[in-house]
Amino acid sequence: MSDLQSLAVTLDNAAQNAQAIAQLSHAEQFSMADAYEIQKRSIALRVARGAKRVGMKMGFTSRAKMIQMGLFDMIWGRLTADMVLEDGAPMPFKKYVHPRVEPEIAFLLKKPLIGSITPMQALAAVEAIAPAMEVIDSRYANFKFALNDVVADNASSSGFVTGPWNSPTLDFSNLGLVMSFNGRPVQIGSTAGILGHPLRSLVAAARFAEEAGEPLEAGWIVMAGGATAAEALKPGTWVEMEMQSLGRVAFNVAA
Ligand code: OOG
Ligand code: MG
């Protein structure tokens, strides 16, 4: 089998060139531990080029996402500064293979978190919460993958955008949300779709951080995971997500 480093390079190249590749698991056998090692190494290549680590994303934290992708275990990925999209700004479609968007909620941390913690301890580390959208873009052809493939591919991370930051003292357990394309609703849901309460996603993130030996740091953003299924993006689309009480976040898919 190819070594983990060469698989990391393959994925890093696919992401840089926006070129789909075949699922790694079709040609290689690798464990979930190997998959996270490939992810770690491929992000290290990005960081070596100057991309700063800015947080962590959770994946498959809702039934809607699990059912859409046919995978039923939580996963996580690493967020870097080059993935940040600006609220209301153009999103450069050409930099992606086949991007999709999903509504999420973002946590901004004011204290580090790691290990087995209670929801109360997780909340105490949150500076602010924001309505957010994640742009996912699998580096695999046809957006098809097994769990080890998608973990190696940094959980399809490619972009994220956060809206206004709000106090975490407001109850965000069940906030309605509507994601729309050019004013037409395409996904309707609630933050309760994320593990029944998005705070559980942050608790799980702290546990994953311990497994990886990489604490969640103050100043980092944690993306809680899609509350609904993801929608494919096309150029010429104004994408907006409004979340009850928290506000709205948007971007424009440029040609
Ligand atoms: C994998 C990433 C999942 C989420 O929010 O559930 C994810 C994918 O669906 O491509 O980002
Ligand atoms: Mg996501």
Side-chain angles (χ1 to χ4, degrees):
M1 115 163 210
S2 312
D3 60 79
L4 302 180
Q5 185 65 20
S6 69
L7 297 177
V9 170
T10 299
L11 280 164
D12 180 54
N13 285 338
Q16 269 193 287
N17 306 329
Q19 276 282 338
I21 58 171
Q23 277 176 246
L24 297 183
S25 65
H26 284 172
E28 313 279 349
Q29 276 195 323
F30 56 102
S31 66
M32 285 296 282
D34 289 342
Y36 277 110
E37 183 61 28
I38 297 166
Q39 177 192 129
K40 184 177 179 178
R41 289 170 183 232
S42 87
I43 297 307
L45 294 169
R46 233 173 232 264
V47 169
R49 287 193 298 271
K52 192 173 166 275
R53 181 79 190 277
V54 296
M56 176 162 167
K57 66 157 279 182
M58 295 293 289
F60 304 138
T61 52
S62 68
R63 290 291 298 166
K65 279 290 302 182
M66 291 191 235
I67 287 164
Q68 182 180 31
M69 302 317 292
L71 296 171
F72 296 86
D73 283 304
M74 260 192 275
I75 61 172
W76 65 276
R78 294 170 167 92
L79 299 177
T80 52
D82 54 321
M83 297 174 190
V84 175
L85 297 166
E86 197 191 322
D87 191 7
M91 169 267 197
F93 187 77
K94 286 198 204 80
K95 280 176 52 184
Y96 302 82
V97 185
H98 35 209
R100 298 178 177 180
V101 63
E102 55 200 17
E104 306 209 2
I105 186 167
F107 298 103
L108 176 63
L109 301 184
K110 63 181 172 191
K111 286 195 261 181
L113 277 178
I114 190 162
S116 188
I117 52 168
T118 64
M120 284 298 290
Q121 287 169 317
L123 187 60
V126 176
E127 168 80 17
I129 53 176
M133 287 186 283
E134 185 181 25
V135 175
I136 50 172
D137 191 31
S138 179
R139 265 57 65 167
Y140 300 115
N142 306 315
F143 227 109
K144 282 233 175 72
F145 41 71
L147 204 61
N148 58 350
D149 288 315
V150 65
V151 163
D153 187 25
N154 199 25
S156 306
S157 302
S158 66
F160 67 98
V161 53
T162 51
W165 291 103
N166 292 257
S167 166
T169 56
L170 69 85
D171 178 1
F172 56 92
S173 60
N174 182 16
L175 300 175
L177 62 92
V178 180
M179 186 169 76
S180 54
F181 284 5
N182 294 326
R184 182 178 52 88
V186 289
Q187 287 290 342
I188 296 170
S190 159
T191 56
I194 303 162
L195 295 169
H197 191 316
L199 200 52
R200 295 204 179 104
S201 179
L202 185 56
V203 170
R207 192 163 36 74
F208 281 133
E210 181 166 52
E211 282 172 20
E214 280 176 21
L216 304 176
E217 291 177 18
W220 275 18
I221 285 173
V222 177
M223 295 285 288
T228 72
E231 289 286 329
L233 290 169
K234 287 198 201 76
T237 311
W238 176 254
V239 181
E240 188 167 296
M241 197 272 290
E242 175 151 27
M243 193 178 274
Q244 182 190 349
S245 308
L246 296 198
R248 65 182 74 191
V249 57
F251 62 88
N252 184 42
V253 186

